[in-house]
């Protein structure tokens, strides 16, 4: 059931440009060429250089190794890895298509059919929210196999890491090209497309907002959550198993990384219906950014800490482990609390309690593309009165804990933190530009009341 509703505002739908300048094209060219290299570079650093991120470069410049020797250490493309990857991918497609049973069984879990926001062309799309069920089935089967059936070794991922990496990079690129072709020849909602005149920019940043196969198979929701995020905890378990195989025990740092990442992943699926209202679904178009990002970048770069710990096992002191456990858990609780406050506020149209008091807000207005004036509210109490993006701050503290959990002075475990810092600061600035264009003066009033973005008195 797809409704045609009133068109949403175009004025403020400025996440993806409609005109690609020279700077835009150079920017995406840079991303497309550097990120795949980074994925393989980090693989090499961990697999061949003991987790020392700069060693390949030092060796190259000191003349100890030439470029061909380094390149010869890259993993090979493997048909077997393609086979494993394809099985996983197809299994996730199957799980994605299943109706959600979990929301009948688990109280408060919001699974089943939910509707996304109104798209700029006026569509409200239904989504089958069943990510928690898919995650549970996938992870439970992996554990059952590891402990009981033993059809395959649970270290299968880390044992075939290089080949799987190739499979993910190649598939991510193919998906991006196919999505671009589909956007031209068989768009799902033609009026929700954006073309800039630059083929490269359009392939990378996407043309279609919500490409679908049939009425329900939404490519963006599928690729974002499964196969990448559902695999995240399985990849981490594979690392833990490998540690056990190599050293006969699993370090507390590995357990901490598994626990902290696990919290984040389960939270994502528990709140999948909320995710429909985030920038990813509302504003980003589907292109290489998602194809490569979800297939290759997310599963391999977000799990770098576990991979690092396989070859650098580190046992934290009890006090360090406890401190990181506490800080990581608190950052997660804060992350959830910030996001839930805005969600509760929006759902109740401002009629709710935040931290035990009636929510305060700044009334705001915006114009839709049809010239209609609409009202909105900007929350100024709770976390949203402390700074404008405390959800990003909490996310960053969590990312720092993942690195600290590895208890090492090496850079690789902290890469995710640095990456997320750049991503979220950039996202914060982009979002604020969009909000300013949308809400005008009201946004200025809001920013003069809530002055800081991520850290009070600093930024
Ligand atoms: P937000 O959930 O912060 O949403 C921003 C939007 O909320 C704005 O565009 C505006 O939309 C609305 N808004 C902003 N301020 C207010 C206010 N004071 N009152 C009411 N509404 C307001 O951002 P994201 O969608 O980017 O992030 C969602 C979560 O996902 C975050 O916790 C983030 O940390 C996480 N994330 C994680 C990533 C990762 O790779 N680990 C990547 C990206 C995000 P409107 O037009 O509706 O008013």
């Amino acid at each position: 059931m797809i409704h045609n509703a009133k068109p949403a505002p175009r004025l403020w739908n400025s996440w993806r440009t409609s005109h690609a300048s020279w700077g835009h094209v150079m920017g995406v060219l840079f991303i497309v060429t550097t990120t795949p290299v980074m994925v393989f570079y980090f693989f090499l650093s961990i697999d061949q250089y003991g987790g020392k991120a700069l060693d390949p470069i030092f060796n190259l410049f000191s003349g100890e190794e030439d470029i061909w020797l380094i390149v010869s250490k890259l993993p090979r493309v493997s048909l077997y890895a393609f086979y494993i990857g394809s099985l996983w991918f197809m299994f996730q497609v199957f799980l994605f298509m299943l109706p959600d049973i979990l929301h009948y069984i688990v109280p408060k879990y919001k699974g089943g059919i939910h509707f996304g926001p109104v798209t700029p062309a006026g569509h409200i799309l239904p989504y089958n929210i069943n990510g928690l069920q898919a995650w549970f089935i996938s992870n439970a089967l992996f554990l059952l196999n590891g402990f009981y059936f033993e059809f395959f070794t649970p270290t299968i991922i880390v044992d075939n890491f290089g080949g799987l990496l190739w499979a993910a990079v190649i598939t991510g690129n193919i998906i991006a090209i196919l999505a671009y072709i589909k956007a031209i020849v068989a768009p799902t909602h033609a009026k929700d497309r954006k073309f800039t005149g630059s083929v490269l920019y359009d392939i990378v940043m996407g043309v279609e907002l919500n490409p679908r196969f049939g009425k329900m198979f939404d490519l963006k929701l599928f690729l974002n959550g499964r196969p990448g995020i559902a695999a995240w905890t399985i990849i981490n378990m594979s690392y833990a198993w490998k540690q056990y195989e190599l050293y006969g025990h699993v370090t507390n740092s590995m357990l901490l990384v598994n626990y902290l990442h696990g919290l984040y992943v389960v939270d994502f699926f528990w709140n999948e219906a909320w995710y429909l209202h985030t920038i990813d679904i509302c504003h980003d178009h589907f292109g290489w950014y998602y194809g490569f990002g979800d297939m290759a970048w997310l599963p391999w770069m977000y799990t770098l800490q576990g991979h690092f710990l396989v070859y650098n096992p580190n046992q934290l002191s009890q006090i360090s482990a406890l401190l990181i456990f506490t800080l990581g858990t608190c950052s997660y609780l804060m992350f959830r609390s910030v996001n839930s406050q805005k969600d509760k506020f929006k759902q109740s149209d401002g009629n709710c309690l935040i931290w035990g008091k009636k929510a305060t807000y700044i009334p705001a207005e915006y114009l839709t593309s049809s010239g209609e004036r609409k009202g909105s509210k900007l929350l100024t109490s709770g976390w949203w009165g402390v700074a404008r993006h405390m959800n990003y701050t909490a996310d960053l503290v969590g990312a720092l804990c993942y690195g600290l959990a590895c208890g090492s002075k090496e850079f690789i475990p902290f890469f995710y933190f640095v990456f997320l810092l750049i991503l979220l600061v950039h996202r914060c600035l982009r979002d604020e530009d969009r909000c300013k264009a949308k809400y005008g003066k009201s946004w200025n009033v809001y920013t003069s009341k809530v002055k800081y973005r991520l850290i009070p008195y600093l930024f």
Side-chain angles (χ1 to χ4, degrees), residues 264 274 278-279 302 335 339 342 345-346 377-379 384 389 391-392 395 416 420 423-424 427 431 434-435 438-439 443 446:
Y264 200 81
W274 156 84
T278 62
I279 290 164
Y302 283 27
F335 167 83
N339 287 322
K342 177 159 71 76
F345 176 75
K346 292 240 175 195
K377 297 181 172 89
L378 294 167
L379 177 62
W384 297 84
H389 270 290
N391 49 351
Y392 292 179
D395 215 350
Y416 177 68
L420 201 66
L423 182 123
L424 291 182
R427 196 176 173 96
D431 186 48
R434 196 187 66 80
C435 288
K438 178 178 176 182
Y439 295 122
W443 185 256
Y446 171 60

Side-chain angles (χ1 to χ4, degrees), residues 55-74:
D55 271 17
I57 292 177
F58 280 150
N59 288 2
L60 185 65
F61 284 104
S62 66
E64 203 174 305
E65 290 185 293
D66 65 26
I67 186 74
W68 300 116
L69 183 59
I70 296 175
V71 169
S72 72
K73 293 178 179 175
L74 280 172

Side-chain angles (χ1 to χ4, degrees), residues 12 15 224 229 232 264 267-268 274-275 277-284 289 297-298 302 334-336 338-339 341-343 345-346 360-362 364 366 376-381 383-385 387-396 399 402 416 419-420 423-424 427-428 430-432 434-435 438-439 443 446 450:
W12 46 268
W15 268 86
N224 232 325
I229 301 186
W232 188 340
Y264 200 81
D267 176 272
F268 174 82
W274 156 84
Y275 180 66
H277 299 275
T278 62
I279 290 164
D280 289 3
I281 296 288
C282 301
H283 305 298
D284 281 346
Y289 181 75
W297 186 266
L298 189 151
Y302 283 27
M334 177 174 154
F335 167 83
R336 176 52 27 227
V338 186
N339 287 322
Q341 280 183 356
K342 177 159 71 76
D343 198 32
F345 176 75
K346 292 240 175 195
T360 59
Y361 56 81
I362 287 163
Y366 61 91
S376 186
K377 297 181 172 89
L378 294 167
L379 177 62
T380 53
S381 52
W383 293 113
W384 297 84
R388 302 200 288 268
H389 270 290
M390 290 304 280
N391 49 351
Y392 292 179
T393 310
D395 215 350
L396 286 167
Y402 306 160
Y416 177 68
F419 161 73
L420 201 66
L423 182 123
L424 291 182
R427 196 176 173 96
C428 175
R430 277 203 303 170
D431 186 48
E432 297 211 341
R434 196 187 66 80
C435 288
K438 178 178 176 182
Y439 295 122
W443 185 256
Y446 171 60
V450 185

Side-chain angles (χ1 to χ4, degrees), residues 4 10 16 22 35 37 93 100 110 141 155 168 217 256 290-291 332 353 358 360 384 435:
N4 276 313
R10 274 179 204 286
R16 183 200 181 284
W22 186 83
T35 47
V37 172
V93 170
D100 185 71
K110 293 180 186 156
L141 286 179
T155 60
F217 195 92
L256 254 180
Y290 278 94
Y332 161 71
L353 296 180
K358 197 166 168 11
T360 59
W384 297 84
C435 288

Side-chain angles (χ1 to χ4, degrees), residues 397-413:
V397 176
L400 189 61
C401 289
Y402 306 160
L404 292 173
C406 297
S408 128
K409 294 185 186 76
E410 295 300 332
F411 169 69
I412 286 180

